[in-house]
Amino acid sequence: MSDTALYPTPALGGYRADKDGIVVEELTRLAVVSIATPLDGDKALDAAMQKSFGTTPPAPGKVTISKDGKTRFLGMAPGQIFAVFNHDRPDAEKRLAETLSGSAYTTDQTDVWVALRVGGESVVAVLERICPLDLHPDAFPADRCARTVMEHMAAIVLRDGEDGFVLLTARSSARSFLHAVEVSVENVL
């Protein structure tokens, strides 16, 4: 038996930068768990989410929030939801599956994604350079989400407030994605 211990490390080393009021930071404790609705299982999942979280599954592009405000449910596609919440142990999927009492198929996605939070007064100007979505608050208000491409890399955009976004992208391209965001920040400021 090996004496070697393995420890998880953040994809970007816990990156955080504040440049003239635009803050870019890696969300190192964010768990991402996909929830898939079984065939004809809509009512059971609705009931389980209402009982456990005080909310219902969101429609694609919409976000619902648990009654305690700790979990966001992102509607990714019909029958597919991402649950995102702070969790620092490797059992996020197991705990969510138990909470939903077998009403859905769950898969841990945490290590697949890197999450960046970008916020500040000029955040829309920063992101509009690299994101083809209309991020104006009238078109993309708080608690909206969308899949898109940013600088040729797949991304999920979640607006988590008036001046803040959470961006999810593949961990394998984390450094390239961060570079694209940093360059956009530099060019706006």
Side-chain angles (χ1 to χ4, degrees):
M1 176 179 259
S2 174
D3 291 333
T4 303
L6 301 176
Y7 300 96
T9 58
L12 299 168
Y15 179 90
R16 185 178 195 292
D18 183 343
K19 296 184 182 182
D20 294 329
I22 296 293
V23 178
V24 179
E25 65 181 315
E26 180 182 16
L27 302 178
T28 59
R29 295 182 55 230
L30 194 70
V32 180
V33 179
S34 68
I35 301 169
T37 310
L39 184 63
D40 298 324
D42 294 328
K43 288 182 182 176
L45 179 57
D46 286 359
M49 284 186 63
Q50 191 61 249
K51 178 182 176 189
S52 299
F53 296 102
T55 191
T56 56
K62 305 284 184 175
V63 176
T64 57
I65 302 172
S66 62
K67 62 186 168 197
D68 65 3
K70 294 182 179 179
T71 304
R72 281 192 164 90
F73 297 96
L74 287 59
M76 295 285 92
Q80 183 188 34
I81 303 164
F82 276 7
V84 294
F85 53 96
N86 284 332
H87 194 77
D88 54 4
R89 293 184 305 272
D91 64 347
E93 180 276 331
K94 179 181 177 187
R95 296 189 58 151
L96 185 64
E98 289 170 355
T99 302
L100 294 175
S101 305
S103 64
Y105 303 116
T106 56
T107 306
D108 191 353
Q109 299 283 317
T110 305
D111 289 338
V112 176
W113 299 94
V114 63
L116 289 179
R117 183 168 192 291
V118 183
E121 192 174 309
S122 304
V123 69
V124 172
V126 168
L127 294 181
E128 71 185 2
R129 300 182 83 259
I130 58 175
C131 181
L133 300 175
D134 181 354
L135 298 177
H136 188 277
D138 292 341
F140 201 88
D143 293 321
R144 264 307 156 80
C145 66
R147 290 180 187 261
T148 191
V149 175
M150 297 174 76
E151 291 296 296
H152 309 288
M153 292 170 272
I156 295 172
V157 178
L158 163 65
R159 186 175 209 135
D160 70 348
E162 185 176 325
D163 292 331
F165 293 85
V166 174
L167 310 175
L168 299 171
T169 195
R171 183 181 178 104
S172 60
S173 57
R175 295 246 176 240
S176 297
F177 191 78
L178 175 61
H179 176 73
V181 172
E182 288 175 320
V183 168
S184 189
V185 169
E186 292 295 329
N187 283 307
V188 167
L189 300 179

